[in-house]
Amino acid sequence: MPDQRARRRAPQARWAGSERDRGAPTDGSGSAPRRPAGSGGSAGSGRAADGPPARDRARPTSLREAMAPATRRPTLRPVPSPGGKPAERAGSGGSGGRGRGGTGRRDRSGGRTASGVPRRAVLRPVPDPNSPGWPGAALAKLPLLERPLASYYLIASSAGLLLLLGLVMVLSASSMRSHLDFGSSYTVFARQATWMAIGLPILLVASRAPVSVYRKAAYPLLVVTVLLHILVLVPPFGVESNGAQRWIGAGPLTIQPSELAKLALVLWAADLLTRKRRLLGDWKHLIIPLVPMVVLLGGLIMLQPDMGTTIVVFSVLLVVLWVVGTPLRVYGALLGVVALAAALLAVVEPYRMERLLSYRDPFADAHDSGFQAVQGIYALSSGGWWGLGLGASREKWPDLLPAAHTDFILAIIGEELGLLGTLVVVALFGVLGYAGLRVAHRANDLFVRLAAAASTGWILTQAIVNMGAVVGLVPITGIPLPMVSFGGSSLLPTMLTIGMLLAFARSEPAAAELLARRARQRRGTWLARRLAAIRATPNGGQADGGRPAGARTAQGAARGAGTAAGSGGAAARRGRGDGPPPARRPRAPAGTRRRDE
């Protein structure tokens, strides 16, 4: 008995040794180390103990490790303590007031630093829907960012504010040129408002769609995207503007297929890697057919040509491969190849080389190659801290800042709303990025994890490249600012992606449980109101004929209505002289006549 009690109180160590190691003493005292809990009490149990139990696996401390599938996570070995014993997990029991740590030193995925100070988790834990008191008082006591629907509200609020700000700034930035080109200051604004009115129902429907809908749409959407990219290169269908053939003419409208390619690639890559999750230990399955398809899409986009969108498309590939847990040597080699290809494409075309040279010093040729960059800097500098006021921009006038309402709308925001306005835009994109990665971290489904991370990476990469070009940090690539710049081809896929992120946020385990409970409460509230209305009717909730009102089924509704109106119907029949129907009588014998005949 004393040995059993001491064995129960003994700390449970993470075990990674062999059978021979388990039979050898660890401290020279002749006593063998104990087996970890859950590994069986006897040597003849037949269960291997050369790996850590599932409940003893350390909590991941990095976003990449947390989002990588279990098949790709490295096996973490214990760090031996100075006394020769393996380091033990803190918080899993033990004595001494310091958990199981003893020395306080943990491996790199543990909860303590080398000095013994508890290390704070990188990502917040997912709330447990099965905890006592959930979701009533327990939900009210949670901090705002730890509540189940926090991701949903962060995505909805940040995206909604960006859409509203973009609509206002499109009106302000395009008013002068719209009046010059179309005779009305509101023509461009009306087009943007129309696209947004079309996109809002799409966003709402997408936010309520199940995850299976997105998985089923991945392959058809990719096929349509490839066909549209081939069609845009055909002269009768492709529309050329400013030396680039990127649009397909459809009557008065123009469609840019490269914007749809980002969403198609996100869904297809996430679905592909989810189907091959058991084969991802081999790096060849990570590369094929994902990388060849991305190269095909990038090549079709470069034929238009559109280097900015190509960069965003390859960023989706890099994000997906990073999240899924690609080995660093493979990832580094792929990153080097992509960087080399981008450098070669930049120097092959003369106009791209000219942009690179003007990026170094745009004021050296401020009236030619550096004109747009210089005017954007003038707009930002004239705004100051608080801006000139909404609608008071001078750079939006004709013959000054090109693409004021599309690629360089951030410069107009800085001129009219000042540094404060630009920082608000940056903060809103930061909140959206945080919420998207939060959804990816909390998801249990690998497809949701990959799609949420890839779509968030796409939006953030495009925003960073656009804002960096405006302030002069990166060369000008000609891609719009998501949800802010003018353009329906860019706005609709982005709003669809925001709706998809909202649907993923609703599918988080704690959020799904909370929404299900709310739905049951709403149904219970409706039923209670219905019962209260029944009780409030005369005769204690009994209708004419003694049948409870509202208790009729769908099949007996007609019979109930006839019963409730029985007295009135009988009076009407007596008034017509036909009287009530005769009561049932026994059937008369054959050959006899009834008296009433």
Side-chain angles (χ1 to χ4, degrees):
M1 291 297 293
D3 293 338
Q4 294 179 358
R5 294 175 181 174
R7 189 175 294 110
R8 292 194 192 101
R9 291 194 301 266
Q12 304 292 337
R14 292 189 61 183
W15 200 264
S18 62
E19 193 70 25
R20 179 174 53 84
D21 296 332
R22 288 198 297 275
T26 58
D27 54 356
S29 61
S31 60
R34 275 86 178 177
R35 297 167 64 88
S39 61
S42 61
S45 60
R47 181 173 178 178
D50 55 353
R55 66 181 183 87
D56 284 343
R57 291 174 185 169
R59 176 178 175 81
T61 57
S62 65
L63 181 62
R64 181 171 183 258
E65 183 182 345
M67 292 192 296
T71 56
R72 299 296 303 157
R73 289 179 184 171
T75 302
L76 301 176
R77 299 289 181 181
V79 179
S81 61
K85 295 183 179 181
E88 296 157 347
R89 295 201 55 188
S92 60
S95 60
R98 296 181 61 184
R100 297 272 178 105
T103 61
R105 182 174 181 83
R106 292 281 310 279
D107 56 282
R108 60 177 179 176
S109 64
R112 288 181 180 271
T113 59
S115 61
V117 179
R119 180 183 297 154
R120 186 176 181 181
V122 175
L123 298 171
R124 297 181 182 272
V126 179
D128 185 11
N130 299 319
S131 59
W134 180 268
L139 181 61
K141 293 179 181 179
L142 284 176
L144 292 178
L145 291 180
E146 293 185 7
R147 297 187 180 184
L149 290 175
S151 304
Y152 180 87
Y153 291 123
L154 287 175
I155 294 173
S157 58
S158 58
L161 290 175
L162 284 172
L163 290 171
L164 181 61
L165 177 64
L167 191 62
V168 173
M169 293 311 301
V170 165
L171 172 61
S172 177
S174 65
S175 57
M176 296 300 172
R177 302 194 182 192
S178 178
H179 185 274
L180 181 64
D181 296 338
F182 304 102
S184 174
S185 301
Y186 302 99
T187 302
V188 176
F189 167 76
R191 291 181 180 179
Q192 184 74 356
T194 303
W195 286 116
M196 190 170 295
I198 297 173
L200 283 177
I202 296 176
L203 188 150
L204 294 177
V205 171
S207 65
R208 296 298 190 271
V211 178
S212 59
V213 172
Y214 296 103
R215 295 198 64 175
K216 293 177 181 177
Y219 281 85
L221 188 60
L222 181 68
V223 172
V224 171
T225 301
V226 173
L227 293 178
L228 289 177
H229 279 82
I230 296 175
L231 192 63
V232 77
L233 301 176
V234 180
F237 302 99
V239 177
E240 184 176 354
S241 178
N242 297 326
Q245 191 169 340
R246 307 173 184 173
W247 299 268
I248 295 177
L253 303 178
T254 55
I255 302 173
Q256 190 173 359
S258 59
E259 297 293 336
L260 187 62
K262 306 168 190 175
L263 178 59
L265 182 60
V266 166
L267 296 178
W268 178 76
D271 181 72
L272 174 69
L273 295 178
T274 302
R275 295 176 186 271
K276 300 176 63 176
R277 63 184 307 168
R278 298 184 180 275
L279 304 174
L280 297 182
D282 187 359
W283 65 271
K284 297 179 182 178
H285 290 281
L286 289 168
I287 301 300
I288 300 173
L290 180 59
V291 174
M293 178 56 68
V294 175
V295 171
L296 173 63
L297 277 177
L300 292 174
I301 295 174
M302 285 302 300
L303 292 176
Q304 300 177 8
D306 190 353
M307 181 125 185
T309 305
T310 306
I311 293 174
V312 177
V313 167
F314 274 90
S315 71
V316 172
L317 169 68
L318 296 177
V319 170
V320 168
L321 291 179
W322 176 264
V323 172
V324 82
T326 305
L328 291 180
R329 62 182 184 277
V330 178
Y331 191 85
L334 183 62
L335 187 62
V337 171
V338 171
L340 180 61
L344 292 177
L345 292 174
V347 300
V348 166
E349 291 290 338
Y351 76 94
R352 296 196 194 108
M353 192 64 186
E354 186 179 356
R355 283 186 178 181
L356 287 176
L357 295 177
S358 64
Y359 156 72
R360 296 175 56 188
D361 185 11
F363 290 91
D365 193 3
H367 297 284
D368 190 8
S369 60
F371 180 77
Q372 189 176 21
V374 168
Q375 296 299 321
I377 294 174
Y378 284 161
L380 292 172
S381 60
S382 60
W385 286 91
W386 312 109
L388 302 177
L390 194 61
S393 171
R394 294 186 289 266
E395 289 292 334
K396 67 181 180 182
W397 286 75
D399 300 330
L400 289 179
L401 178 62
H405 59 289
T406 54
D407 302 345
F408 268 67
I409 195 170
L410 184 68
I412 304 300
I413 295 176
E415 185 179 11
E416 296 186 352
L417 303 180
L419 178 63
L420 180 63
T422 57
L423 291 180
V424 167
V425 174
V426 174
L428 289 176
F429 277 108
V431 171
L432 181 62
Y434 165 76
L437 295 180
R438 174 191 171 101
V439 170
H441 166 65
R442 291 180 173 237
N444 291 334
D445 189 353
L446 180 59
F447 172 80
V448 174
R449 189 182 308 156
L450 294 175
S455 56
T456 304
W458 147 35
I459 294 176
L460 290 184
T461 301
Q462 185 169 336
I464 290 172
V465 171
N466 178 274
M467 292 186 288
V470 172
V471 300
L473 294 179
V474 298
I476 298 174
T477 55
I479 59 176
L481 188 62
M483 294 177 286
V484 180
S485 296
F486 170 79
S489 298
S490 174
L491 183 64
L492 292 184
T494 307
M495 294 183 72
L496 178 58
T497 305
I498 295 298
M500 181 181 69
L501 288 176
L502 291 175
F504 292 164
R506 289 169 57 90
S507 67
E508 292 180 6
E513 176 66 20
L514 179 61
L515 291 174
R517 288 175 182 255
R518 286 182 178 179
R520 290 194 294 268
Q521 290 175 359
R522 284 194 296 266
R523 288 195 296 267
T525 303
W526 177 87
L527 182 59
R529 291 176 182 175
R530 183 63 178 169
L531 292 176
I534 292 172
R535 295 189 187 99
T537 57
N539 301 325
Q542 299 291 328
D544 294 337
R547 189 181 181 91
R552 311 175 193 124
T553 59
Q555 293 81 4
R559 295 196 301 270
T563 303
S567 58
R573 287 193 296 271
R574 286 194 296 270
R576 295 194 301 267
D578 50 2
R584 286 193 173 185
R585 300 176 182 177
R587 184 180 297 274
T592 62
R593 294 177 58 87
R594 290 186 297 182
R595 295 179 181 179
D596 55 356
E597 295 180 354

Short mmCIF file of all heavy atoms in Angstrom, two decimals, residues 75 83 92 180 188 237 263 425 504 521 556:
data_model
loop_
_atom_site.label_atom_id
_atom_site.label_comp_id
_atom_site.label_asym_id
_atom_site.label_seq_id
_atom_site.Cartn_x
_atom_site.Cartn_y
_atom_site.Cartn_z
N THR A 75 8.07 15.37 -33.67
CA THR A 75 8.02 14.77 -32.35
C THR A 75 8.97 15.51 -31.43
O THR A 75 10.16 15.63 -31.73
CB THR A 75 8.40 13.29 -32.44
OG1 THR A 75 7.51 12.64 -33.34
CG2 THR A 75 8.32 12.63 -31.07
N GLY A 83 20.02 16.50 -13.21
CA GLY A 83 20.08 15.28 -12.42
C GLY A 83 20.00 14.01 -13.24
O GLY A 83 20.07 12.92 -12.69
N SER A 92 0.93 19.17 -15.07
CA SER A 92 0.35 17.84 -15.18
C SER A 92 0.39 17.09 -13.87
O SER A 92 0.28 15.89 -13.83
CB SER A 92 1.09 17.03 -16.26
OG SER A 92 2.44 16.91 -15.92
N LEU A 180 -15.85 65.09 -65.76
CA LEU A 180 -15.18 65.40 -67.02
C LEU A 180 -15.46 64.34 -68.08
O LEU A 180 -15.65 64.67 -69.26
CB LEU A 180 -13.67 65.49 -66.78
CG LEU A 180 -12.80 65.83 -67.99
CD1 LEU A 180 -13.11 67.23 -68.52
CD2 LEU A 180 -11.32 65.72 -67.63
N VAL A 188 -19.35 57.29 -61.58
CA VAL A 188 -18.44 56.26 -61.06
C VAL A 188 -18.91 55.77 -59.70
O VAL A 188 -18.88 54.57 -59.40
CB VAL A 188 -17.00 56.81 -61.00
CG1 VAL A 188 -16.06 55.78 -60.38
CG2 VAL A 188 -16.52 57.20 -62.39
N PHE A 237 -12.62 38.76 -77.77
CA PHE A 237 -13.21 38.81 -76.43
C PHE A 237 -12.40 39.67 -75.47
O PHE A 237 -12.97 40.34 -74.61
CB PHE A 237 -13.35 37.39 -75.85
CG PHE A 237 -14.17 36.48 -76.70
CD1 PHE A 237 -13.56 35.59 -77.57
CD2 PHE A 237 -15.55 36.51 -76.66
CE1 PHE A 237 -14.30 34.73 -78.35
CE2 PHE A 237 -16.31 35.67 -77.45
CZ PHE A 237 -15.69 34.78 -78.30
N LEU A 263 -9.50 33.51 -55.57
CA LEU A 263 -10.44 32.72 -54.80
C LEU A 263 -10.47 31.27 -55.27
O LEU A 263 -10.53 30.34 -54.45
CB LEU A 263 -11.84 33.34 -54.90
CG LEU A 263 -12.97 32.60 -54.17
CD1 LEU A 263 -12.67 32.49 -52.69
CD2 LEU A 263 -14.29 33.30 -54.42
N VAL A 425 -7.09 52.90 -41.83
CA VAL A 425 -7.15 51.87 -42.87
C VAL A 425 -6.18 50.73 -42.55
O VAL A 425 -6.54 49.55 -42.65
CB VAL A 425 -6.84 52.49 -44.25
CG1 VAL A 425 -6.75 51.41 -45.32
CG2 VAL A 425 -7.89 53.51 -44.63
N PHE A 504 -16.79 30.39 -41.94
CA PHE A 504 -15.80 29.61 -41.20
C PHE A 504 -15.78 30.02 -39.73
O PHE A 504 -15.59 29.17 -38.84
CB PHE A 504 -14.41 29.80 -41.81
CG PHE A 504 -14.27 29.19 -43.18
CD1 PHE A 504 -13.21 29.55 -44.00
CD2 PHE A 504 -15.20 28.30 -43.67
CE1 PHE A 504 -13.06 28.99 -45.26
CE2 PHE A 504 -15.07 27.74 -44.94
CZ PHE A 504 -13.99 28.08 -45.72
N GLN A 521 -33.14 28.17 -28.07
CA GLN A 521 -33.81 29.12 -27.19
C GLN A 521 -34.85 29.94 -27.95
O GLN A 521 -35.93 30.22 -27.41
CB GLN A 521 -32.77 30.05 -26.55
CG GLN A 521 -31.89 29.37 -25.53
CD GLN A 521 -30.80 30.29 -25.01
OE1 GLN A 521 -30.69 31.45 -25.43
NE2 GLN A 521 -29.97 29.77 -24.11
N GLY A 556 -55.12 17.38 -39.45
CA GLY A 556 -56.48 17.54 -38.95
C GLY A 556 -56.93 18.96 -38.84
O GLY A 556 -57.85 19.27 -38.08
#
